[in-house]
Structures are given as structure tokens and as C-alpha cells.
């Protein structure tokens, strides 16, 4: 008889309760032995998680930017989880023009906010049938069994085309780690009067010819805000390249911003030597999880959580689309 010790790590945001599962054990003949059989069997287990559970959250902010009729208006409510267990968050938004209810929006499904972190509840109001003028929105939020209450914010919808659009791409740099694709980073500054979702595109040129065009995921940028971005470029052979980068918002496209970089001749692990100055900052959401106490039974249970993908890997655009960028 052989004792097998199994240890598990209980995620910090696991709710109190009993969790059932199984452990698979395998036994095989000794190496080099011609006799014996391999055996695999399953052992049922239970894990009891207990300890002090703090359920606490705050509704910290509600923001709506000035927009135009026909441009989706983004409503953001921020919730901070100050407890030690993940909280599912649900919200509803009521939009009024004066005393008249114009639209009611609800979150399609609850989203969790981890302990020690903040999360945004985002509504996108389709304004194509709205009238120009002043509006108000009231957003009511619950987090788990907590009623966090309601906040109200006023905002304005302008007539189509009244607000200026102005974006600027700044701080470009190209970097690469060994055996990795080059990473182009920078920031987009919104110098206009309207908020919206922006997309960054980069045309990669060598010896006057377009090698590739990459495009990033869209992101929200408010007036006066600088938003970092990062584009994964394709693997490139040795040589000198330039990147011509633009940002779009609705039908507006920013002026081209250029940077040059050199790929070393060794294509196996081609280091990049940045020539343009400035390093863009890649925004990360840091999630801090509090420690939880747990009580194990004689057996063990392990849970695995997979974080949602937030990749900004870009797709290479086909030849027809490449020709459209020749006019940049």
C-alpha cells in the first residue's frame, strides 16, 4: 500500500460550500518489466471551502459622453468589489428625454467582478432614431445579493456632423522578444469633441512596397483621452521597414504617423532595433485576489479557471484591401 498525497489550491474568490469531483490514479509496471498490467481507477472526492466571506461592493461612477444622433452612445457604470469573493453584477439603464422614457437597456447576462478589482458595466444605446437634445440616464446595479442603488447622469445628443473628429497617433515603437512576432505599440489621442470606438491600422512597407497591413481591435476613446494600443506584426525577413499607422473613428481617419525599424538578418530569432523614439504603454487590468482559508477533506479537489482572451492579434488583409491603402 502506498500513500498518495494530493494538494489543491482553492481560488481566492471561491464561494463557501462543498465541491465534489474525482481524482484519476494510474499504476504501470516498472520500467523494463515484461510482466504486469497498467491500471487506472477513479477516486471520488469532496472539498469543503469555509472561512470568513466578505461580500462588499461600491457603485463608484457613471459616465456618458456627449454624442451625435446616429452614433451609438456608450454608457459606463463602474463597480468596485471590496470583498473577498467574486460577485455577479447585473444592471439596468433607463434613458429619458425630459420626463419621457425613451429606452430601457439591460445587461444580457451577469458579469463577475473579482475581489479587489473594479469592472465596468457598458451599455451601447443605438441613437439612430433619437432626436437631438438633452437626455438623462439612470443606471441601477445589483452585485450578488447586494443592491448598490441607482445613479443618474445627464448628457446631450447633437445633430449629425456637429461635433468635430480629431485623432492623433503618437509614441510609436517596435519591439520583439526571441521567437516572437514584432510588437508595434503607441497611443491614440482624441483631440475631437465626440467619443467613440477607434480602430488602428498599420501598413508595413519595405523598399517602397507594401508587405502587410494589420488592423487592431476597436477600443473606446473619449475626448481628451490617450488610449494605448498594441499590434502584433507578422514575422518579417531581415531588412529595414517602415510602419505607416492611422486611427479611425466613424468616417474620420487620422493623419499617417510613421516609424522605421530594422529586422536582423537572422530570421530564426530576428531582433528588432527600434529607430523611432517613444514607447506606448499597453494597458492592463490588474486583478488582485484576497487570500481565502479552506478546509480540505482527506481527498482533494482542484478547479481550473481560464481567463477570457483579450488578445489583440491582427489579421493580415488580402491583396484587394492592400491596394486600398496605397492612397494613404
Amino acid at each position: 500500500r502506498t500513500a498518495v498525497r494530493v494538494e489543491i489550491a482553492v481560488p481566492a474568490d471561491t464561494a463557501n460550500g462543498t465541491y465534489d469531483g474525482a481524482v484519476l490514479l494510474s499504476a504501470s509496471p516498472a520500467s523494463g518489466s515484461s510482466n504486469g498490467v497498467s491500471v487506472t481507477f477513479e477516486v471520488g472526492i469532496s472539498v469543503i471551502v469555509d472561512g470568513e466571506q466578505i461580500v462588499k461592493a461600491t457603485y463608484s461612477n457613471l459616465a456618458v459622453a456627449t454624442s451625435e444622433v446616429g452614433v451609438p452612445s456608450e454608457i459606463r457604470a463602474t463597480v468596485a468589489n471590496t470583498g473577498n469573493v467574486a460577485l455577479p453584477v447585473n444592471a439596468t439603464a433607463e434613458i429619458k428625454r425630459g420626463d419621457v422614457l425613451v429606452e430601457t437597456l439591460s445587461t444580457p447576462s451577469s458579469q463577475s467582478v473579482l475581489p479587489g478589482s473594479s469592472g465596468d458595466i457598458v451599455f451601447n444605446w443605438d441613437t439612430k432614431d433619437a432626436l437631438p437634445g438633452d437626455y438623462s440616464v439612470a443606471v441601477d446595479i445589483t452585485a450578488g445579493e447586494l443592491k448598490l442603488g441607482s445613479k443618474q447622469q445627464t448628457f446631450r445628443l447633437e445633430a449629425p456632423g456637429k461635433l468635430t473628429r480629431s485623432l492623433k497617433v503618437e509614441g510609436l515603437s517596435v519591439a520583439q522578444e526571441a521567437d516572437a512576432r514584432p510588437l508595434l505599440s503607441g497611443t491614440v489621442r482624441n483631440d475631437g469633441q465626440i467619443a467613440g470606438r477607434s480602430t488602428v491600422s498599420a501598413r508595413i512597407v519595405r523598399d517602397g512596397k507594401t508587405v502587410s497591413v494589420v488592423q487592431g481591435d476597436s477600443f473606446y476613446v473619449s475626448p481628451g483621452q490617450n488610449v494605448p494600443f498594441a499590434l502584433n506584426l507578422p514575422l518579417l525577413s531581415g531588412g529595414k521597414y517602415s510602419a505607416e499607422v492611422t486611427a479611425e473613428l466613424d468616417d474620420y481617419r487620422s493623419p499617417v504617423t510613421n516609424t522605421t525599424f530594422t529586422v536582423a538578418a537572422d530570421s530564426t530569432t530576428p531582433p528588432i532595433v527600434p529607430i523611432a523614439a517613444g514607447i506606448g504603454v499597453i494597458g492592463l487590468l490588474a486583478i488582485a485576489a484576497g487570500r481565502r482559508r479552506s478546509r480540505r477533506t482527506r481527498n482533494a479537489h482542484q478547479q481550473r479557471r481560464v481567463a477570457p482572451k483579450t488578445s489583440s492579434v491582427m489579421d493580415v488583409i488580402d491583396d484587394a484591401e492592400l491596394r486600398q491603402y496605397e492612397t494613404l
Side-chain angles (χ1 to χ4, degrees), residues 63-68 70-76 122-125 127 156-157 163-167 188-200 217-228 247-252:
V64 189
T66 298
S67 189
E68 291 178 351
V71 177
S73 181
E74 190 165 270
I75 303 164
R76 285 179 173 265
V122 179
F123 299 94
N124 285 289
W125 177 36
T127 65
R156 183 170 178 80
L157 276 185
L163 300 177
T164 61
R165 276 90 165 152
S166 179
L167 298 178
V188 172
R189 178 175 177 80
N190 186 348
D191 291 324
Q193 298 175 315
I194 189 169
R197 303 199 70 81
S198 178
T199 303
V200 174
D217 296 329
S218 65
F219 52 86
Y220 192 78
V221 56
S222 298
Q225 186 180 21
N226 285 291
V227 178
E248 295 183 21
L249 177 65
D250 299 331
D251 295 329
Y252 171 84

Side-chain angles (χ1 to χ4, degrees), residues 9 11 301-307:
H301 173 82
Q302 183 173 15
Q303 291 184 333
R304 179 180 299 170
R305 298 197 174 190
V306 180

Side-chain angles (χ1 to χ4, degrees), residues 5-247:
R5 179 182 175 87
V6 179
E7 293 187 353
I8 66 169
V10 178
D13 60 341
T14 302
N16 288 351
T18 300
Y19 298 84
D20 297 321
V23 172
L24 295 178
L25 301 176
S26 297
S28 301
S31 178
S33 174
S34 59
N35 298 319
V37 294
S38 297
V39 178
T40 299
F41 54 96
E42 181 180 294
V43 178
I45 59 170
S46 292
V47 173
I48 299 174
V49 178
D50 63 8
E52 183 182 11
Q53 202 166 35
I54 302 173
V55 180
K56 188 176 180 181
T58 59
Y59 180 179
S60 58
N61 190 51
L62 175 62
V64 189
T66 298
S67 189
E68 291 178 351
V69 173
V71 177
S73 181
E74 190 165 270
I75 303 164
R76 285 179 173 265
T78 303
V79 175
N81 184 346
T82 54
N84 66 352
V85 63
L87 292 175
V89 178
N90 291 279
T92 58
E94 290 188 346
I95 300 169
K96 292 183 177 181
R97 189 168 189 258
D99 294 328
V100 178
L101 180 64
V102 175
E103 188 91 38
T104 299
L105 305 173
S106 299
T107 50
S109 60
S110 64
Q111 65 182 70
S112 291
V113 180
L114 297 179
S117 68
S118 295
D120 285 336
I121 310 300
V122 179
F123 299 94
N124 285 289
W125 177 36
D126 185 353
T127 65
K128 66 180 181 180
D129 296 325
L131 297 173
D134 295 320
Y135 290 80
S136 66
V137 61
V139 178
D140 185 82
I141 295 180
T142 60
E145 297 181 356
L146 298 177
K147 295 185 180 297
L148 302 184
S150 178
K151 289 184 182 293
Q152 184 170 308
Q153 184 66 263
T154 59
F155 63 101
R156 183 170 178 80
L157 276 185
E158 299 288 1
K162 184 173 182 179
L163 300 177
T164 61
R165 276 90 165 152
S166 179
L167 298 178
K168 186 177 182 181
V169 178
E170 300 176 315
L172 292 178
S173 67
V174 180
Q176 181 182 14
E177 296 180 359
D179 299 320
R181 296 163 62 183
L183 184 70
L184 171 67
S185 60
T187 60
V188 172
R189 178 175 177 80
N190 186 348
D191 291 324
Q193 298 175 315
I194 189 169
R197 303 199 70 81
S198 178
T199 303
V200 174
S201 300
R203 181 172 69 164
I204 309 304
V205 179
R206 180 179 180 181
D207 297 330
K209 297 181 179 180
T210 299
V211 175
S212 177
V213 174
V214 294
Q215 187 176 63
D217 296 329
S218 65
F219 52 86
Y220 192 78
V221 56
S222 298
Q225 186 180 21
N226 285 291
V227 178
F229 69 87
L231 302 181
N232 285 307
L233 305 182
L235 290 174
L236 302 169
S237 58
K240 187 174 181 179
Y241 297 83
S242 66
E244 302 172 358
V245 186
T246 61

